[in-house]
Every structure is written in C-alpha cells, then in structure tokens.
Amino acid sequence: MTAVVYRRVDPRLGGFALRTLDPDADAALLHGWVTHPKAAYWLMLDADVARVAAEYRRIHEHPHHDAFVGLWQDRPTFLAERYDPARIELVGLYDAAEGDVGMHFLCAPAGTPVHGFTLAVITTVMAWLFADPATRRVVVEPDVRNTAVHALNAAVGFEVVGPVTKPEKEALLSVCTRAMFEKATGLDTTVRPSPEESRA
C-alpha cells in the first residue's frame, strides 16, 4: 500500500507529489525508467525487472535508505531516493554533520520534453527534504561527467565540495544548506504547525 508523503504546487507546472514506493508493484514501471539510455548514470541499463524489484526491496528494507515515486499531475514521472550519507554511499569520504541527508533523483523518459520540468522536480525533492526540520543539509554525489545534473544542482543552491572516488564512479560531492536552497529558489522552507497543533 503506497501513501502520498508530500505535495507541492509549482507556480508554472502545477501539482507535484511524492508517494511511497512498492518494490514489487512498481518494479515494471521503474524498469522502464532505469534502463532507458538517458538513465546511464543510474548504472542499471542492463537490469531486468526482477533485479529492479530486488534492488528496491533492498532499499525498502534498509534502515537508512528509502525510495519514493514522484507524481506530476497525479502521474508517475520521477523517482527520488533519500539516505543517510554518513552510513551509506559516502561513509568515510566526507565530513559528515548532524542533519545531513543524501538524495538521488531520476526523471522518467518523456516523449515530449516539458521546459523546466527537471528543475521543478529537483526543487520539489529538495523542498520535501527540507520540510523535515531535522534536515540541515542535503548532500549529493553525482558522477563527475554528469554536467546536466551539476547545473541543476547549482540552480537550487548546491556548492561543490570536490571530487570523491567511489567504487562505482568518480563523484562530485556537493552540499546545500537550507539557507542556500531558500536563497537560490526564493522558497520558504520554514516548518509551521498545522492549525490543529496551533490550537493544542
């Protein structure tokens, strides 16, 4: 059973949301995304559906890693992963700090590209991460060759720390604090109590 965990309305492209991922029910959908040539940096181009299901089952069961299907206008259009970079992906490779959250995102292949869509997706993912008051900084480690993602990261406030060598790639470590994200996007990520909480 999946559940929507976050909603955001983009001023130009409308409604976005994230829902929990079901490793088995979503495997065929994700397979079409992660094996598309544009997803080369996802490192799953030769995966079959069973391997995709197994990978997301592993993530689903991991205490420090989870994954979500992103929706645009209520249709599945992107994938987002959240993880603890001090415990997976970047263990011993950077100066970890309290409140660090790691992030991956992948947009589904589109027949007709929508201008500004990928920027709206990464903005939505970042706003979702900062909706948790415990998140102080988002950490990413894309492949150094992935110049398109480097540009998107810069657009939402990331600053490059430098290259780090991982087993599967040479990565470009970058970080973004809440203040950096708000300055770059103009968004206010302050977490306010609901009306019910305010009356309590």
Side-chain angles (χ1 to χ4, degrees):
M1 187 73 177
T2 61
V4 170
V5 298
Y6 182 76
R7 292 187 185 276
R8 170 181 175 263
V9 176
D10 182 84
R12 198 174 71 83
L13 296 181
F16 285 82
L18 289 120
R19 67 161 173 81
T20 52
L21 186 152
D22 183 319
D24 295 305
D26 290 323
L29 172 72
L30 299 179
H31 177 262
W33 298 359
V34 302
T35 59
H36 190 275
K38 289 186 176 180
Y41 292 114
W42 213 253
L43 305 177
M44 294 187 76
L45 292 181
D46 60 349
D48 58 15
V49 175
R51 180 183 157 199
V52 173
E55 173 65 11
Y56 283 93
R57 203 176 299 117
R58 181 190 66 79
I59 290 172
H60 181 71
E61 294 168 357
H62 198 288
H64 304 295
H65 195 175
D66 47 15
F68 302 81
V69 171
L71 310 174
W72 176 47
Q73 299 176 351
D74 296 321
R75 299 193 312 272
T77 51
F78 64 98
L79 173 64
E81 295 181 14
R82 174 180 63 184
Y83 61 92
D84 183 343
R87 290 182 166 88
I88 58 172
E89 296 283 12
L90 289 167
V91 180
L93 295 178
Y94 87 114
D95 293 327
E98 184 179 349
D100 280 357
V101 177
M103 179 270 287
H104 296 141
F105 82 98
L106 175 70
C107 291
T112 304
V114 176
H115 180 69
F117 177 76
T118 309
L119 179 60
V121 166
I122 190 174
T123 301
T124 297
V125 172
M126 293 288 287
W128 161 62
L129 294 174
F130 282 123
D132 181 348
T135 300
R136 296 183 180 179
R137 185 172 71 160
V138 179
V139 181
V140 293
E141 29 74 42
D143 193 295
V144 293
R145 300 166 295 175
N146 195 346
T147 54
V149 161
H150 302 330
L152 285 164
N153 288 343
V156 295
F158 279 94
E159 289 187 355
V160 173
V161 176
V164 293
T165 301
K166 300 185 63 187
E168 77 282 10
K169 65 184 179 184
E170 188 74 8
L172 192 65
L173 178 68
S174 301
V175 299
C176 182
T177 65
R178 184 182 298 273
M180 291 157 64
F181 175 67
E182 291 183 343
K183 181 179 179 182
T185 63
L187 297 179
D188 179 2
T189 64
T190 305
V191 180
R192 296 177 175 84
S194 67
E196 292 78 14
E197 292 171 328
S198 299
R199 291 193 295 266

